[in-house]
């Protein structure tokens, strides 16, 4: 069934709309909620607030999904890791939110993914028993979250033949089969952020990228357009700080302890076209794993680490050499032929905004989110993880409604689909290639139609890359892409491989140059 019927407004984000809505802001503008931060939690809060009927403005100093929200493992998971440490509450919350994403919010962007742990001689009996018990507990979580087995099948043991079918490069010697469970996987985390932002815009929110918030209090902020340098002071009734690892720069009353998670990027052919998430336990550990995950553009991501990341927060974190070695060494314990640095196509790292609680290790810090109100009235939401963004946003908006004494309706996001959301028979009837449906849902038909009107748009943006010029054009016209890097690094993930980024750069520049846009819209980022 198609699920986007409740989104009726104009969802297109582009340079023209941005300029118009910037011009509409002044010190007399009526704003109920100002959301600072265009990551998953910020756009989730903007959608929640706008859907409740609140006059909402979201500002982001860079681009949508510029920070941590594009650096995840792309998993929408049920929280098994938390069960091993007794955190049943967050595990259940994760399972519930996973079900909402799979069934209601974005069924076109989230798919069931089998997870496979090979039973090899190096796996201890304690490890295999603990993982099997964890998978069974995951089945209970799924049922308690009311996610049907038809969507996420129950866990089971599989044969050695089935293990090798799902993960062809796993070692054969001593292989006794595998343990399989199911979880959710995003086609792309950044695409979910963009879809949520567009849905917020369709419900009346102003979504302003390249706009930074300065001198922020609980009822005022100076907004600076980074394209023009123009400033305006606004006086919202409430302010939600959803800036992730930069949250303490907006609200100095909180203390964060960022944790870095690193992934390596490989060609899918290196893993024999892996069709499951390969689960590799750390030696001597029963609760920490490295994953090899099939990903977009014919790639596999191997991750992730959990390293303390003190000091200034960079715009783009870099993996440490020791993390690269750690990931290679761990994944090689289950592979027939060891991977080397020569096989790595790229890498990326993201920082988790964990609240500092005095623990010795970031791996032990709580992944529960927190909503706190600063002495000056700013409402900050931190912690959590991508899977639970919707609940984080709901709690933040609840706090804004309470402290701002706002006249708002109830939260609607449990059943509110994003633009493009489609499932069931309606998905099967979309006149577009499957790869476009996976990325754009019901809007895939518009991109396919554009290629029929202009066959040049059907051309790939570079040889061997499965993104077309029509997709770039759609991103500029509808998804708020203003720069080449927006197209290469966030509306697609081409840029994770440096040589692919350079190969596709000319196509991105050409599409931006062809689009009618205000003179302030640059082709190259600064």
């Amino acid at each position: 069934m198609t699920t986007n019927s409740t989104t009726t407004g104009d969802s297109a984000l582009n340079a023209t709309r941005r300029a118009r809505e910037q011009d509409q802001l002044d010190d007399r503008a009526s704003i109920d909620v100002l959301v600072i931060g265009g990551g998953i939690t910020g756009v989730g809060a903007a959608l929640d607030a706008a859907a409740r009927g609140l006059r909402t403005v979201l500002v982001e100093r860079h681009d949508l999904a510029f920070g941590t929200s594009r650096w995840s493992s792309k998993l929408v998971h049920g929280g098994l890791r938390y069960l091993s440490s007794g955190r049943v509450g967050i595990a259940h919350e994760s399972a519930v939110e996973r079900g909402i994403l799979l069934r209601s919010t974005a069924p076109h962007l989230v798919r069931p993914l089998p997870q496979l742990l090979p039973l090899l001689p190096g796996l201890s009996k304690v490890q295999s028993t603990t993982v099997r018990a964890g998978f069974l507990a995951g089945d209970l979580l799924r049922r308690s979250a009311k996610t049907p087995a038809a969507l996420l099948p129950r866990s089971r043991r599989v044969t050695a033949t089935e293990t090798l079918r799902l993960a062809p490069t796993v070692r054969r010697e001593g292989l006794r089969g595998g343990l399989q469970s199911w979880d959710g996987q995003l086609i792309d985390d950044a695409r979910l952020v963009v879809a949520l932002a567009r849905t917020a815009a369709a419900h009346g929110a102003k979504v302003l990228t390249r706009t930074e918030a300065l001198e922020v209090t609980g009822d005022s902020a100076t907004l600076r357009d980074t394209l023009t340098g123009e400033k305006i002071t606004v006086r919202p009734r409430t302010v939600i700080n959803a800036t992730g690892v930069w949250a303490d720069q907006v609200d100095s009353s909180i203390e964060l302890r960022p944790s870095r998670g690193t992934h390596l990027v490989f060609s899918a052919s290196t893993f024999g076209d892996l069709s499951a998430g390969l689960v590799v336990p750390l030696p001597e550990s029963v609760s920490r794993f490295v994953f090899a995950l099939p990903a977009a553009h014919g790639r596999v991501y191997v991750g992730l680490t959990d390293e303390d990341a003190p000091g200034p927060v960079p715009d783009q974190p870099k993996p440490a050499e020791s993390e690269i070695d750690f990931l290679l060494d761990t994944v090689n314990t289950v592979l027939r032929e060891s991977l080397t640095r020569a096989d790595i196509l790229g890498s990326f790292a993201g920082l988790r905004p964990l609240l500092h609680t005095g623990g010795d290790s970031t791996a032990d810090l709580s992944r529960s989110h927190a909503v706190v109100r600063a002495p000056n009235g700013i409402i900050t939401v931190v912690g959590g993880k991508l899977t639970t963004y919707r609940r984080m946003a709901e709690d933040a908006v609840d706090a804004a409604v309470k402290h701002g004494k706002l006249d708002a309706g109830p939260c609607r996001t449990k059943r509110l689909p994003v633009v493009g959301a489609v499932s069931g028979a309606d998905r099967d009837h979309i006149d577009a290639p499957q790869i476009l449906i996976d990325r754009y849902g019901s809007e895939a038909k518009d991109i396919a139609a554009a290629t029929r009107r202009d066959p040049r748009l059907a051309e790939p943006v570079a040889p061997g890359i499965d993104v077309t010029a029509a997709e770039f054009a759609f991103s500029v016209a509808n998804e708020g892409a203003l720069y080449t890097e927006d197209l290469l690094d966030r509306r697609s993930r081409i840029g994770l491989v440096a040589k692919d980024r350079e190969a596709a750069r000319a196509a991105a520049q050409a599409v931006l140059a062809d689009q009618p846009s205000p003179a302030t819209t640059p082709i190259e980022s600064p």
Side-chain angles (χ1 to χ4, degrees):
M1 130 181 112
T2 301
T3 56
N4 63 351
S5 58
T6 58
T7 301
T8 57
D10 180 11
S11 67
L13 297 176
N14 50 48
T16 300
R17 179 172 184 165
R18 177 188 177 279
R20 181 179 69 248
E21 293 188 339
Q22 285 274 13
D23 289 342
Q24 291 170 352
L25 287 181
D26 57 36
D27 58 3
R28 298 181 303 278
S30 296
I31 303 171
D32 293 318
V33 181
L34 172 66
V35 180
I36 305 173
I40 188 70
T41 308
V43 296
L47 173 56
D48 189 313
R52 298 191 199 199
L54 297 172
R55 293 163 297 190
T56 305
V57 175
L58 178 143
V59 295
E60 161 58 49
R61 66 180 175 184
H62 295 297
D63 182 30
L64 296 170
F66 182 86
T68 304
S69 294
R70 62 171 159 149
W71 303 129
S72 77
S73 297
K74 286 67 176 161
L75 289 177
V76 176
H77 60 87
L80 277 182
R81 174 179 173 183
Y82 309 117
L83 287 179
S84 65
S85 55
R87 289 174 282 183
V88 178
I90 188 174
H92 177 72
E93 179 180 270
S94 297
V96 169
E97 295 300 323
R98 176 185 63 186
I100 292 171
L101 272 164
L102 278 163
R103 302 175 69 185
S104 299
T105 306
H108 63 305
L109 291 177
V110 188
R111 62 181 180 184
L113 177 74
Q115 305 266 37
L116 179 70
L117 183 139
L119 296 174
L120 287 162
L123 188 73
S124 72
K125 185 174 181 179
V126 171
Q127 285 177 313
S128 61
T129 300
T130 303
V131 170
R132 179 59 180 149
F135 284 179
L136 291 172
D139 293 339
L140 292 175
L141 278 176
R142 175 187 56 75
R143 289 199 292 272
S144 70
K146 297 182 172 58
T147 303
L151 187 59
L152 290 178
R154 64 177 180 82
S155 62
R156 65 191 181 107
R157 180 165 178 165
V158 297
T159 65
T161 299
E162 179 71 358
T163 298
L164 291 170
R165 185 186 70 81
L166 294 169
T169 58
V170 162
R171 293 184 179 183
R172 298 171 183 263
E173 185 177 357
L175 180 65
R176 308 187 308 278
L179 299 178
Q180 183 190 78
S181 68
W182 288 77
D183 226 328
Q185 183 186 36
L186 275 165
I187 299 298
D188 188 339
D189 46 8
R191 294 213 60 79
L192 176 62
V193 173
V194 171
L196 287 163
R198 292 181 58 206
T199 310
H203 283 82
K206 290 180 171 62
V207 178
L208 304 174
T209 59
R210 268 75 187 195
T211 303
E212 63 179 339
L214 308 170
E215 302 167 359
V216 182
T217 70
D219 58 6
S220 69
T222 297
L223 304 183
R224 176 179 174 270
D225 184 339
T226 64
L227 299 186
T228 66
E230 294 180 2
K231 293 181 179 180
I232 186 70
T233 298
V234 295
R235 302 196 180 281
R237 295 178 65 185
T238 56
V239 175
I240 295 176
N241 171 23
T243 54
V245 288
W246 295 276
D248 55 359
Q249 297 178 17
V250 178
D251 176 4
S252 59
S253 68
I254 65 170
E255 185 178 358
L256 299 179
R257 186 175 174 184
S259 163
R260 185 175 58 246
T262 286
H263 293 79
L264 308 179
V265 183
F266 296 87
S267 168
S269 61
T270 303
F271 282 82
D273 295 318
L274 183 70
S275 57
L278 184 58
V279 181
V280 186
L282 272 61
E284 310 304 325
S285 174
V286 296
S287 62
R288 292 192 62 198
F289 306 90
V290 164
F291 296 89
L293 302 164
H297 310 313
R299 297 169 182 167
V300 167
Y301 301 149
V302 171
L304 78 167
T305 60
D306 198 334
E307 296 294 326
D308 203 8
V313 176
D315 280 346
Q316 186 162 320
K318 299 294 184 184
E321 294 298 315
S322 59
E323 292 176 289
I324 295 173
D325 290 337
F326 163 78
L327 291 172
L328 281 174
D329 291 344
T330 304
V331 76
N332 280 338
T333 62
V334 302
L335 299 181
R336 196 158 56 249
E337 295 184 10
S338 293
L339 301 176
T340 69
R341 284 178 176 252
D343 296 305
I344 301 173
L345 300 180
S347 62
F348 59 92
L351 298 178
R352 308 174 185 90
L354 304 180
L355 273 176
H356 185 44
T357 57
D360 293 332
S361 168
T362 56
D364 297 326
L365 293 183
S366 174
R367 264 50 176 182
S368 297
H369 66 274
V371 177
V372 296
R373 188 168 183 259
N376 67 1
I378 297 173
I379 294 168
T380 295
V381 53
V382 290
K385 54 200 178 72
L386 186 147
T387 304
T388 59
Y389 85 89
R390 192 210 61 80
R391 179 59 186 273
M392 295 169 64
E394 178 182 353
D395 289 350
V397 176
D398 282 347
V401 169
K402 175 183 177 181
H403 294 294
K405 297 181 173 59
L406 305 178
D407 183 14
C411 177
R412 297 176 52 202
T413 54
K414 283 185 179 179
R415 296 178 178 83
L416 185 62
V418 298
V419 292
V422 66
S423 61
D426 286 337
R427 178 187 178 109
D428 298 334
H429 295 151
I430 296 173
D431 184 16
Q434 188 62 48
I435 193 171
L436 290 181
I437 298 171
D438 288 343
R439 293 173 185 167
Y440 303 93
S442 63
E443 294 185 312
K445 64 182 184 301
D446 300 326
I447 299 171
T451 64
R452 290 191 288 270
R453 290 191 300 269
D454 183 353
R456 292 174 301 174
L457 292 176
E459 294 296 318
V461 295
I465 294 177
D466 60 357
V467 176
T468 65
E471 293 178 72
F472 277 3
F474 183 86
S475 291
V476 173
N478 296 280
E479 296 184 331
L482 301 179
Y483 293 94
T484 56
E485 280 71 17
D486 299 348
L487 294 172
L488 299 173
D489 296 336
R490 289 170 289 277
R491 304 310 180 275
S492 72
R493 309 319 289 274
I494 292 171
L496 288 176
V497 177
K499 67 179 181 63
D500 290 347
R501 178 193 283 114
E502 290 311 305
R505 182 176 292 277
Q509 292 171 338
V511 167
L512 282 165
D514 284 346
Q515 295 298 313
S517 59
T520 55
T521 301
I523 292 176
E524 288 289 345
S525 64

